[in-house]
Every structure is written in C-alpha cells, then in structure tokens.
Amino acid sequence: MKENKTSIFFTLFLCYTCIKLILCFPNIQSSLQSLNLQGHFTFENNEFASIDFGNQFHYLPSAVLYPKNVSDIASTIRHVWNLGPASGLTVAARGHGHSFQGQAQAAQGIVVNMESLSGQQMLQVHMGEFPYVDVSGGELWINVLKECLKYGLAPKSWTDYLHLSVGGTLSNAGISGQAFRHGPQISNVRQLQVVTGKGEVVICSEENNADLFHGVLGGLGQFGIITRARISLEPAPKMVKWIRVLYSDFSTFAKDQEYLISSKNTFDYIEGLVMINKTNLVNYWRSSFNPEDPVQASQFVSDGKTLFCLELTKNFDPHHNIDKEIKSLLSQLSYIPSTLFVTEVSYVEFLDRVHAAELKLRSKGLWDLPHPWLNLLVPKSKIQTFAQNVFGDILTNTNHGPVLVYPLNKSKWDNRTSFVTPDEDIFYLVAFLQHAVPSTTENDGLQYLLNLNKRILEYCEEANLGVKQYLPYYTTKEEWRAHFGTRWEVFVQRKLAYDPLAILAPGQRIFQKAISVL
C-alpha cells in the first residue's frame, strides 16, 4: 500500500512539474517571432512541408523557417535548446523534399527551408591543383554542376537525380554509377559548416572537429544541419558515349559488372537494371539509341523474359575518337551481341537524364504519386542467392518503376563516417524505385507494393543475407541498433555530444525528444 502511495505521489509530482514547465513557455509562435533574424517564419500555409516524394507520411509543422544566413538557423535551434526537453519542439532540415518516409518532416515542430540559403552568390569555385567548390547545404546539385562547368570543372561523384540538395545527399551518402571509382558523395567532401543540436555553428573537416565531420556525413541529420560544404572537383568531361547491353543470365551479368569495377581501364559509369516482364525494350531504345547491328537487333524479342541491362558510359573529348577503346572494353564482356545500343550526349545531358523523364511524368500527372522505394546493400557473397529468390520468385514484374542492381567497392568508403555497409570488399546496391497508383487494391496499389517490400525484407532476414538498408527506415530502437551493429554505440555517443535533447531530424524516428537515447 505504501509503495502504491509513493508511486501515485511521484506520478502526480511529474505531471505537476511538466504542466508548470509548459505553462512557463510562451506561445510558440510569439516566442519564435521574438527572435532577431534576417529571414522569417511562416505559421500558415505550410502544407508543402508535410509532403515529400514518398507521399506516404504527412506531418504538419508548427512553423517553417526561411533563413537568410546560417545565424538564422543557429538562433532558432539555440532557442529550442534553451526551451529544454519539456517543450517537445523539434527541428528538421528540408532541402528539395525528396525523402520518401517523412524523414524531413517535423510534426508540430519547425521545418527549415534550406533552399532559402541557395543562390549563385553562395557558390564559390576555387581553382588550383586540388580544385573545390564551397556551396550552401540547401543548393541543388544541378546548380552546383552548372556553376562549376563555367570553370571547366565538376564534382566527381553523383546521384542519378541532380535536383536534390547538397545537405540532403551528404546526410545519407549519395550513390550513383561513378561510386565504384570515386566513392559516394560523402567520400568527396573536404569541409563542412554544421549547426549542431545545441545551436552551435562548427566548421569541421578531417583535421578539425573530425568526429563531428565524420558523424554528420551519412548521419541522417542526427548530429547537425549541414549549412555549407566544400566539395572536391575534377576537370569536367565534355561528351559521353552512353551504352546499353542486355543479359539473360544474372551470373554472367554480375561477373561482368564485378570485372569492370575492378579493372584499371574501364568505363566511367557502371549501373545495372533488372527487367522482368517488360515488353518492346529494344524498340523503346531505338528512339534515342542506335543499335550496332540493326538487323540483329530487330530480331531480338524481349517479351516475358527476365533480362538484365548493363548501362555504361565513357567520357570523351569531341576531338578524340574513343570508339576503338570502347570496342576493346566491350570485347571482354559476355552480353547478348544483338542488344548493343549506343548514343552520344553531352556530359550535362547524361547527368541530368532523370530530370527529362521527370518533366514527361509531370506533364501526365504521374510524378506526385506515392513512391514506396526500397534500397538495399547486398554483400557480394549473397547476391546470387538474393537474385535467384527475389528476381526469380518474389518480384513478378518491374512495370512499377526501375530496379537497379550494381556493385560498389568498399575501399572507396570511409568507415569513420556514420554510414554502414555490408562487411565485404564488394557489395551491391539494389534499388526498387517503384511508384504506386492511389486508391487501388491491384498489384500497382500502395499497400500491395509495401507488402512486396516487406516480403523482400523478411526474406533477407530469414536467409541471413547480411543486407543493410540504404536510406534506411525503421520504427523501433531495436531495428536501428541492429542496422548500425557494432557502430551503434558510437552513433549514440555522437547524439549525446551534438544533439543531446534529440531536437534534430525527428522524422528519421531514431531518437525521441525528452526520452533517453541510451
């Protein structure tokens, strides 16, 4: 009985304390308006901040900050920090809104519109033996590319879609077909400016504040908001030979990819795609690619087959003929001879290729659909088993969006960052980039595709494949702990050091404000 009385008293005391603290806080809107900022807040018509590319989660913030400088962001976070844990207020950075599980949302919190920091005046290209560009975290990669090209330079590593913010991709990894050679985008950063969860503005690099530097890279926004980044550059190619070939056997397809990413003399971009029950592939390519042998190509029938497309590029200068070099490289591969297709485009046109597709989809009203994407990193030793069971059984078609599969070299990744990879020298990115049709229960509906993702994840777990999620999404602390494995304790310690109140990036659902992170 005495224990019950003590428990009731303690509960009442906690409730009284929390109510007293909450009543002491001024109205959120008026308290934010009292801050001395160059930018401004909006408290109405903020629905855009509750929508992202995934179009599945919709959490409305209390306010959206449009910062004019880094001090605006620092002052806002410092204000939230000073309110303490009982305010419940959180902060999320939003770039171009391309997350797909609500990661850049902050329910009843503050969303920082990072694009307000972008603009040509924020882009500074530095020439020299080791050129680089200083750029705002809210800038889009397409704008970084265009500015750097004025100096004959370009970043080394890309994502397939360039209309993403610099801070957004660096908070994850930034992977595309160049990563086998240059590593992901987080392997090509020299310096960062970061606002921590305490509202501190910190310049960090491998030499200074290295723990924060490595923690923020691939850190899912948990330790700080990237407000500025220094990106390594290289001489920019002018033109690209863009090549596609097909395989009917996954083992051969994978073997050729692994050979290419391990060779000194190889292509500049290497990605693979899975195509199940697709029709008229070759005829579709004819609109923009030329077959090496038109007669053979016209006889190829793709209908109903499971095929694997190898997509390659070779950068070149228009004044130099590289056909002989490409022919030599292709001679080492075992693709279906009649399916060799080649086209020639500018470097910008190739890198920005997805945007061209986006414009077409937007014109048909097909861009803003739900996107239940699933991205996995599969160890090389398990990729055959994975392919046999997922591509051969679970996945019945790829008509709902592309399915990418291509290998990466672990040696190009820095294990000091927060990003975790499978523990093998080579691992594969497998990306199911699907779109759903709203209000349907058919096999193109959202629930069907979510169930498909669940089946794939359950198979990976049951088969003990050692798979890691890229752009991870979990709902429990136990799942996050398993994801990070032996790196979990380091991740937690960094959270305690740089964002101990768990103010930042609540949409990742890793830590909760005012709840112990241990």
Side-chain angles (χ1 to χ4, degrees):
M1 184 68 179
K2 185 178 180 181
E3 289 181 359
N4 287 339
K5 286 183 177 180
T6 303
S7 177
I8 292 170
F9 172 79
F10 184 65
T11 301
L12 290 172
F13 174 76
L14 283 178
C15 291
Y16 168 77
T17 304
C18 289
I19 291 170
K20 186 177 179 181
L21 282 169
I22 291 169
L23 290 175
C24 288
F25 294 133
N27 175 272
I28 292 297
Q29 181 172 336
S30 60
S31 73
L32 293 177
Q33 287 175 326
S34 70
L35 295 177
N36 183 20
L37 306 178
Q38 294 296 309
H40 67 280
F41 287 99
T42 59
F43 302 95
E44 296 178 350
N45 301 317
N46 290 329
E47 286 74 14
F48 79 95
S50 67
I51 300 170
D52 58 24
F53 186 67
N55 204 10
Q56 299 175 61
F57 296 86
H58 304 93
Y59 297 108
L60 191 67
S62 294
V64 172
L65 171 64
Y66 292 80
K68 287 293 184 184
N69 51 43
V70 65
S71 296
D72 286 352
I73 299 174
S75 296
T76 299
I77 295 177
R78 198 178 308 119
H79 177 73
V80 177
W81 164 261
N82 288 331
L83 289 177
S87 77
L89 206 58
T90 56
V91 179
R94 186 183 196 274
H96 203 50
H98 206 266
S99 59
F100 49 88
Q101 301 279 9
Q103 288 94 336
Q105 298 175 28
Q108 299 302 307
I110 300 169
V111 169
V112 182
N113 187 342
M114 295 300 292
E115 287 189 299
S116 291
L117 285 181
S118 63
Q120 190 169 343
Q121 71 278 6
M122 303 288 287
L123 282 160
Q124 297 177 358
V125 177
H126 298 260
M127 310 287 284
E129 185 179 358
F130 302 104
Y132 62 87
V133 59
D134 283 326
V135 57
S136 162
E139 193 61 78
L140 301 185
W141 282 102
I142 181 63
N143 297 330
V144 176
L145 173 62
K146 289 178 178 178
E147 183 65 20
C148 291
L149 286 174
K150 296 176 184 177
Y151 301 84
L153 299 168
K156 302 174 183 178
S157 192
W158 298 98
T159 54
D160 286 331
Y161 180 58
L162 302 192
H163 295 251
L164 305 172
S165 68
V166 170
T169 65
L170 296 184
S171 295
N172 289 282
I175 305 175
S176 186
Q178 305 89 2
F180 77 93
R181 171 178 286 162
H182 297 294
Q185 290 181 319
I186 59 174
S187 292
N188 295 276
V189 181
R190 296 193 191 177
Q191 181 177 286
L192 296 171
Q193 180 189 68
V194 174
V195 181
T196 71
K198 300 177 183 179
E200 300 168 333
V201 180
V202 182
I203 303 296
C204 53
S205 65
E206 286 197 0
E207 293 75 30
N208 300 299
N209 301 303
D211 184 66
L212 179 60
F213 177 72
H214 292 122
V216 167
L217 293 172
L220 304 175
Q222 293 302 303
F223 316 121
I225 294 177
I226 297 172
T227 51
R228 200 152 182 81
R230 180 167 291 178
I231 311 295
S232 295
L233 303 176
E234 67 177 357
K238 291 183 173 59
M239 297 293 293
V240 167
K241 287 279 189 180
W242 188 0
I243 301 160
R244 285 177 178 169
V245 293
L246 290 175
Y247 294 74
S248 58
D249 175 69
F250 183 82
S251 296
T252 307
F253 170 69
K255 181 180 177 182
D256 277 1
Q257 287 197 88
E258 290 168 18
Y259 163 76
L260 288 174
I261 70 163
S262 303
S263 300
K264 288 185 178 180
N265 182 29
T266 187
F267 292 94
D268 297 298
Y269 161 97
I270 300 169
E271 283 196 11
L273 298 95
V274 183
M275 297 173 170
I276 302 174
N277 284 331
K278 301 280 278 187
T279 59
N280 249 349
L281 281 179
V282 169
N283 286 331
Y284 173 77
W285 287 352
R286 283 178 186 275
S287 62
S288 52
F289 286 76
N290 296 316
E292 185 185 48
D293 188 326
V295 176
Q296 281 195 49
S298 66
Q299 297 172 351
F300 180 79
V301 178
S302 60
D303 296 10
K305 299 177 182 177
T306 296
L307 296 168
F308 307 96
C309 172
L310 182 55
E311 192 165 48
L312 311 162
T313 70
K314 192 69 176 175
N315 303 332
F316 72 101
D317 187 297
H319 298 102
H320 295 92
N321 190 316
I322 60 165
D323 290 345
K324 186 176 181 181
E325 181 182 358
I326 290 175
K327 187 175 182 180
S328 176
L329 290 172
L330 290 173
S331 70
Q332 306 299 313
L333 308 181
S334 302
Y335 57 87
I336 302 170
S338 61
T339 64
L340 173 57
F341 281 68
V342 182
T343 193
E344 197 172 289
V345 296
S346 70
Y347 188 57
V348 176
E349 189 177 351
F350 171 72
L351 289 180
D352 203 27
R353 63 198 179 280
V354 176
H355 184 57
E358 174 191 350
L359 295 177
K360 292 179 182 178
L361 291 172
R362 283 191 182 279
S363 68
K364 299 176 182 178
L366 298 176
W367 183 256
D368 296 321
L369 299 173
H371 291 87
W373 286 9
L374 176 64
N375 295 268
L376 305 175
L377 301 175
V378 183
K380 171 189 169 181
S381 65
K382 306 294 185 179
I383 193 62
Q384 299 289 343
T385 302
F386 180 93
Q388 181 178 348
N389 288 275
V390 175
F391 304 148
D393 182 21
I394 297 175
L395 194 66
T396 56
N397 69 69
T398 54
N399 294 314
H400 310 309
V403 176
L404 308 181
V405 53
Y406 57 91
L408 301 161
N409 288 315
K410 187 179 177 69
S411 62
K412 302 299 181 179
W413 296 67
D414 190 333
N415 62 11
R416 295 172 295 178
T417 70
S418 292
F419 195 85
V420 289
T421 68
D423 192 21
E424 290 190 10
D425 292 339
I426 293 176
F427 55 90
Y428 279 75
L429 172 70
V430 184
F432 302 87
L433 310 181
Q434 305 174 111
H435 63 267
V437 177
S439 305
T440 178
T441 57
E442 303 301 320
N443 63 3
D444 54 359
L446 178 59
Q447 194 55 54
Y448 175 88
L449 295 175
L450 289 173
N451 289 338
L452 185 66
N453 289 346
K454 184 180 178 182
R455 283 186 63 196
I456 294 170
L457 289 170
E458 287 176 346
Y459 162 70
C460 292
E461 184 71 21
E462 293 166 2
N464 196 27
L465 299 186
V467 166
K468 296 292 183 183
Q469 283 194 37
Y470 174 51
L471 308 175
Y473 171 72
Y474 300 103
T475 56
T476 69
K477 185 66 63 65
E478 291 71 26
E479 289 174 320
W480 280 111
R481 187 188 297 270
H483 171 77
F484 285 103
T486 57
R487 311 271 289 281
W488 172 247
E489 294 305 322
V490 172
F491 197 81
V492 170
Q493 289 304 314
R494 284 172 170 167
K495 188 68 173 179
L496 287 171
Y498 305 116
D499 183 28
L501 294 187
I503 290 169
L504 300 176
Q508 294 285 0
R509 303 170 184 83
I510 305 175
F511 305 104
Q512 294 183 43
K513 191 174 181 184
I515 296 177
S516 172
V517 297
L518 292 175

